[in-house]
Amino acid sequence: MEFSLDNWNHLFKLDPAKEISDEDLDAVCESGTDAVVVGGTDDVTLDGVLDLLSRIRRHTVPCVLEISNLESITPGFDYYFIPMVMNSTEKKWMMDIQHEAIKEYQDSMNWDEIVVEGYCILNEEAKAFKQTKCELPDDDDVVAYAYMAEHIFHLPVFYMEYSGTYGNTELVQTVKEQLKDTKLVYGGGIENSVQAREMKEHADTIVVGNLIYSDIKQALKTVNAVKDK
Ligand code: 1GP
């Protein structure tokens, strides 16, 4: 059976290009989060990914690689997330790099461990937005992308990516109302438990990234904020 995010409410995302102390990394892994995702945009190298993998592996928390580039793919993770950037203006980010990856890795791909994410990047300032040459969709566009993720591509996940800025809760709610089988993941700018709880009202799963590096104490509190619900 293909893996689904059914019971995952909270994820921490660690960036292989950023430094994290053992103490903070241990706290993240032991926080009660549902999984730790390794993923980033700039300077994601195999060395950086392997370093985080080996350190996270000292703990029992599930460990996910969100694939940024072909060079940094490695075995050893529990799950692999494959983004397809739906609002990119270049086919490359929706289709071609995934195609390239399939040609190279098809024989070793285990679909019990793979989740394809329909990404919609909604912060123009985000590195990923610029790198993947995205176009900022209006609200109706976003809802239509969500519809396409579910009904055309049958993707298990639609990811509203506001990386670096807190998103529009009303739009997250509207998108959630649109989706039936496809899970809604929200990520971006969560700075405290109130925001974590607010986004979790609508999204199935929330992702906390930057806050780990800017305020670890607040980051850790977002786990229980979401689990209490
Ligand atoms: C980034 O969606 C995640 O891919 C989380 O965003 O880093 O802004 O928390 P932040």
Short mmCIF file of all heavy atoms in Angstrom, two decimals, residues 13 66 119 159-165 186-190 207-211, ligand 1:
data_model
loop_
_atom_site.label_atom_id
_atom_site.label_comp_id
_atom_site.label_asym_id
_atom_site.label_seq_id
_atom_site.Cartn_x
_atom_site.Cartn_y
_atom_site.Cartn_z
N LYS A 13 10.92 20.62 9.39
CA LYS A 13 11.76 20.52 8.18
C LYS A 13 13.13 21.12 8.46
O LYS A 13 13.24 22.29 8.81
CB LYS A 13 11.10 21.23 7.00
CG LYS A 13 11.73 20.86 5.65
CD LYS A 13 11.13 21.63 4.48
CE LYS A 13 9.81 21.07 4.01
NZ LYS A 13 9.36 21.71 2.72
N GLU A 66 12.92 15.22 1.36
CA GLU A 66 12.16 15.92 0.33
C GLU A 66 13.17 16.27 -0.75
O GLU A 66 14.09 17.07 -0.54
CB GLU A 66 11.49 17.19 0.89
CG GLU A 66 10.59 17.85 -0.14
CD GLU A 66 9.79 19.00 0.47
OE1 GLU A 66 10.42 19.96 0.95
OE2 GLU A 66 8.56 18.94 0.45
N TYR A 119 2.99 20.93 -5.40
CA TYR A 119 3.44 22.14 -4.70
C TYR A 119 2.82 23.37 -5.33
O TYR A 119 2.79 23.51 -6.56
CB TYR A 119 4.95 22.26 -4.88
CG TYR A 119 5.77 22.13 -3.61
CD1 TYR A 119 5.91 20.90 -2.98
CD2 TYR A 119 6.42 23.24 -3.06
CE1 TYR A 119 6.69 20.79 -1.83
CE2 TYR A 119 7.19 23.13 -1.92
CZ TYR A 119 7.32 21.90 -1.31
OH TYR A 119 8.08 21.78 -0.19
N TYR A 159 0.48 20.89 -1.41
CA TYR A 159 1.32 21.60 -0.44
C TYR A 159 1.24 23.10 -0.70
O TYR A 159 1.72 23.56 -1.74
CB TYR A 159 2.75 21.10 -0.57
CG TYR A 159 3.74 21.49 0.52
CD1 TYR A 159 4.58 20.54 1.08
CD2 TYR A 159 3.88 22.79 0.98
CE1 TYR A 159 5.51 20.85 2.07
CE2 TYR A 159 4.80 23.12 1.96
CZ TYR A 159 5.61 22.15 2.50
OH TYR A 159 6.54 22.48 3.46
N MET A 160 0.62 23.84 0.22
CA MET A 160 0.60 25.31 0.10
C MET A 160 1.87 25.81 0.78
O MET A 160 1.99 25.79 2.00
CB MET A 160 -0.66 25.89 0.75
CG MET A 160 -1.92 25.52 -0.03
SD MET A 160 -3.45 26.10 0.75
CE MET A 160 -3.39 27.86 0.37
N GLU A 161 2.82 26.25 -0.05
CA GLU A 161 4.16 26.59 0.43
C GLU A 161 4.34 28.10 0.48
O GLU A 161 4.47 28.75 -0.56
CB GLU A 161 5.19 25.95 -0.52
CG GLU A 161 6.63 26.35 -0.30
CD GLU A 161 7.18 25.92 1.05
OE1 GLU A 161 6.76 26.51 2.07
OE2 GLU A 161 8.02 25.01 1.08
N TYR A 162 4.30 28.64 1.69
CA TYR A 162 4.52 30.07 1.91
C TYR A 162 5.92 30.32 2.48
O TYR A 162 6.16 31.39 3.02
CB TYR A 162 3.49 30.62 2.88
CG TYR A 162 2.10 30.88 2.32
CD1 TYR A 162 1.12 29.90 2.35
CD2 TYR A 162 1.78 32.12 1.77
CE1 TYR A 162 -0.16 30.16 1.86
CE2 TYR A 162 0.51 32.38 1.28
CZ TYR A 162 -0.46 31.40 1.34
OH TYR A 162 -1.72 31.64 0.85
N SER A 163 6.78 29.36 2.40
CA SER A 163 8.12 29.40 3.01
C SER A 163 8.61 30.81 3.32
O SER A 163 8.79 31.63 2.42
CB SER A 163 9.10 28.73 2.04
OG SER A 163 10.37 28.72 2.62
N GLY A 164 8.82 31.08 4.61
CA GLY A 164 9.36 32.38 5.02
C GLY A 164 8.32 33.41 5.38
O GLY A 164 8.65 34.44 5.98
N THR A 165 7.06 33.17 5.05
CA THR A 165 6.03 34.16 5.42
C THR A 165 4.75 33.42 5.80
O THR A 165 4.47 32.34 5.28
CB THR A 165 5.77 35.15 4.27
OG1 THR A 165 4.98 36.22 4.77
CG2 THR A 165 5.05 34.53 3.11
N TYR A 186 0.37 22.50 4.88
CA TYR A 186 0.67 23.93 4.92
C TYR A 186 2.06 24.13 5.49
O TYR A 186 2.41 23.55 6.53
CB TYR A 186 -0.34 24.70 5.82
CG TYR A 186 0.15 26.11 6.02
CD1 TYR A 186 -0.18 27.09 5.09
CD2 TYR A 186 1.02 26.44 7.06
CE1 TYR A 186 0.36 28.36 5.19
CE2 TYR A 186 1.56 27.71 7.17
CZ TYR A 186 1.23 28.66 6.24
OH TYR A 186 1.77 29.92 6.34
N GLY A 187 2.85 24.98 4.86
CA GLY A 187 4.16 25.36 5.41
C GLY A 187 4.45 26.81 5.13
O GLY A 187 4.16 27.32 4.04
N GLY A 188 5.03 27.49 6.14
CA GLY A 188 5.47 28.86 5.90
C GLY A 188 5.20 29.81 7.05
O GLY A 188 4.04 30.01 7.43
N GLY A 189 6.30 30.33 7.62
CA GLY A 189 6.22 31.45 8.53
C GLY A 189 5.57 31.17 9.87
O GLY A 189 5.24 32.13 10.59
N ILE A 190 5.40 29.93 10.25
CA ILE A 190 4.81 29.66 11.57
C ILE A 190 5.85 30.03 12.64
O ILE A 190 6.97 29.52 12.64
CB ILE A 190 4.37 28.18 11.70
CG1 ILE A 190 3.17 27.93 10.77
CG2 ILE A 190 4.02 27.84 13.15
CD1 ILE A 190 2.67 26.50 10.73
N VAL A 207 3.89 22.29 8.57
CA VAL A 207 5.35 22.12 8.53
C VAL A 207 6.00 23.34 9.16
O VAL A 207 5.67 24.48 8.82
CB VAL A 207 5.84 21.99 7.06
CG1 VAL A 207 7.34 21.74 7.02
CG2 VAL A 207 5.09 20.87 6.34
N VAL A 208 6.92 23.10 10.08
CA VAL A 208 7.67 24.18 10.74
C VAL A 208 9.13 24.05 10.35
O VAL A 208 9.74 22.99 10.56
CB VAL A 208 7.50 24.10 12.28
CG1 VAL A 208 8.36 25.14 12.98
CG2 VAL A 208 6.02 24.27 12.66
N GLY A 209 9.67 25.12 9.75
CA GLY A 209 11.05 25.08 9.26
C GLY A 209 11.94 26.10 9.94
O GLY A 209 12.59 25.83 10.95
N ASN A 210 11.92 27.33 9.42
CA ASN A 210 12.82 28.40 9.89
C ASN A 210 12.86 28.59 11.39
O ASN A 210 13.90 28.91 11.97
CB ASN A 210 12.36 29.75 9.29
CG ASN A 210 12.91 29.93 7.90
OD1 ASN A 210 14.01 29.48 7.58
ND2 ASN A 210 12.12 30.59 7.04
N LEU A 211 11.71 28.41 12.03
CA LEU A 211 11.61 28.68 13.47
C LEU A 211 12.57 27.81 14.29
O LEU A 211 13.03 28.22 15.35
CB LEU A 211 10.15 28.45 13.91
CG LEU A 211 9.74 28.91 15.30
CD1 LEU A 211 9.94 30.42 15.49
CD2 LEU A 211 8.27 28.54 15.59
C1 1GP B 1 9.48 25.30 4.08
O1 1GP B 1 7.12 24.96 4.29
C2 1GP B 1 8.34 24.91 4.97
O2 1GP B 1 9.56 24.43 2.98
C3 1GP B 1 8.30 25.67 6.26
O3 1GP B 1 8.38 27.06 6.05
O4 1GP B 1 10.60 27.64 6.95
O5 1GP B 1 8.80 29.38 6.75
O6 1GP B 1 8.64 27.56 8.47
P1 1GP B 1 9.15 27.97 7.10
#
